[in-house]
Each structure stands twice: as C-alpha cells, then as structure tokens.
Amino acid sequence: MKDVILKNRLQAAASFVRRGSAIADVGTDHAWLPIYLLSRGIASRAVASDINEGPLCRARINIPKNLSKKIELRLTDGLAGIEDFGAQDILICGMGGELIARILQDAPFTKDKNIRLILQPMTKAPYLREFLLSAGFRIIDEALADDDRIYQVICAEYCGESEEYSPVELLLGRHNIAHGGELFTRFVEQNIKIFEGIRAGKASGAADTSYEDEILDGLNTLLQVTK
Ligand SMILES: C[S@@+](CC[C@H](N)C(=O)[O-])C[C@H]1O[C@@H](n2cnc3c(N)ncnc32)[C@H](O)[C@@H]1O
C-alpha cells in the first residue's frame, strides 16, 4: 500500500485523534483521513460518511483491501444514523463553519463528555466557535495549518457549560492566540489586511465600522505582543 500523505490541514486534524479511538469522518470524500489513521494504527476502526454517492465511490476505490473491514462507508447527511457506530473521535473537515454547526446541532448524541470533535471549517470559524461555546462544548485545543492558505482546526469536547469569547478570540481561537508562533503572526497580519479592507469599504459607504474597529484594535495589539 502506498503511504498516504495528508495535506497540512488534515494532518493537523489527525494530530488531535486519540490513540485507539473509533472514529467518524463526516464528509469523507476520498477517505484519506480514515485510511491514514488506520494504516498508522492510530484509530481502531472508522465510519466514513458522505452525503453524495460520488465521494463514497472515490473512498471505496482508495481504501486498501487490508483496511476494508475496518472502514465502514455510509451514505448519509451529516451524523444521521451514525450514533450506533460509537465513534469516540468525530472529524468534520473541509466544510463551511455553518454547515458543521448544523450537522452538530442535528446530532445531540455528540453532547457526550467522552466524544471529541475535531473540526476544520473552510469558512466562518467565528460562527462555529460561537455555536460550540453556546451549546456547552469547551474548545480544548486548536491548530493552524498552512496549505494554499491558513486553515484553522478546532478540537472540542462537551462540558455542559457555556463560555464567552471576545470577538478576536472567536476569530482567531483562544488556544491559537496562546500558542503564538510564526504562522500565527502571519495569520494575524492576514486578518488585519482583510479587516482593513472591510472597514474601508464600510467607511466609504458611511456604514458603522465599530465591529471592524474593535477587531482591528485587538489584532494590532496582538501583533505587537507576538512580534
Ligand atoms: C470539500 S470536501 C472535504 C473532504 C474531506 N473531508 C477533506 O477535508 O478533504 C466536502 C465533502 O463533504 C461532503 N458533504 C457536504 N455536505 C455534507 C453533509 N451534509 N453530510 C455529509 N457530507 C457532506 C461532500 O459531498 C464532500 O465530499
């Protein structure tokens, strides 16, 4: 079997999987994550699901024979019908933050202190963080990954208590802020550019820029501390 080389964002997600876990990979597409995690003996068994038949066909072709009994494929929306598999670590990567939140909202069985969520939103990370924190999940760690752009990976577990983050923490992640580092500095700089653009656009239309002003203040302060 050829060695699976994961993109950095998937590698970062894989690094949060606990050794010996039964995993669910929602929106698996090519099934690289379960193949990687099982072939390295990190996960013990996997359910790989997708809402579309095409990706599941790709997954079926990619899964090597020696793993076919350990990776179960299911055609389903999000986590519907997955509860019985008993996944301990649930990965949802490569989807928008709102869709990931909707999938979790529709699967109340994920509110279990023994289940770990490993989420890699392509967009709307602040929305996803806000959803998790208000739904009683605690964000236990985070990572940044550099591929064609900088991606965020969020690792969360249910604790039953809600928590509040500042707007900058929702945007960048409290753990990412604590970890710091060169990639984090670049991430802050990129966000400063994005928010300066948004603020300029709003200001030219005489719209309220107080949210962007608050974010930019926070980002510039962070940049001074991290550099
Ligand atoms: C961009 S791919 C990401 C594949 C892989 N997880 C990754 O990160 O590289 C998104 C996958 O999610 C699937 N998908 C989209 N909405 C879904 C849903 N509601 N439930 C399950 N899978 C979904 C798509 O069919 C597609 O295969």
Side-chain angles (χ1 to χ4, degrees), residues 7 9-10 25-33 49-56 58 74-79 91-95 99 102-103 120 122:
K7 289 184 175 154
R9 66 179 174 83
L10 293 181
D25 181 31
V26 178
T28 195
D29 197 354
H30 30 62
W32 294 135
L33 265 174
S49 71
D50 208 286
I51 198 168
N52 293 304
E53 188 62 68
L56 283 187
R58 274 196 285 281
R74 292 200 198 167
L75 182 67
T76 189
D77 179 0
L79 285 158
L91 298 123
I92 314 180
C93 300
M95 292 185 207
L99 176 55
R102 197 273 290 161
I103 287 172
Q120 184 269 298
M122 302 303 268

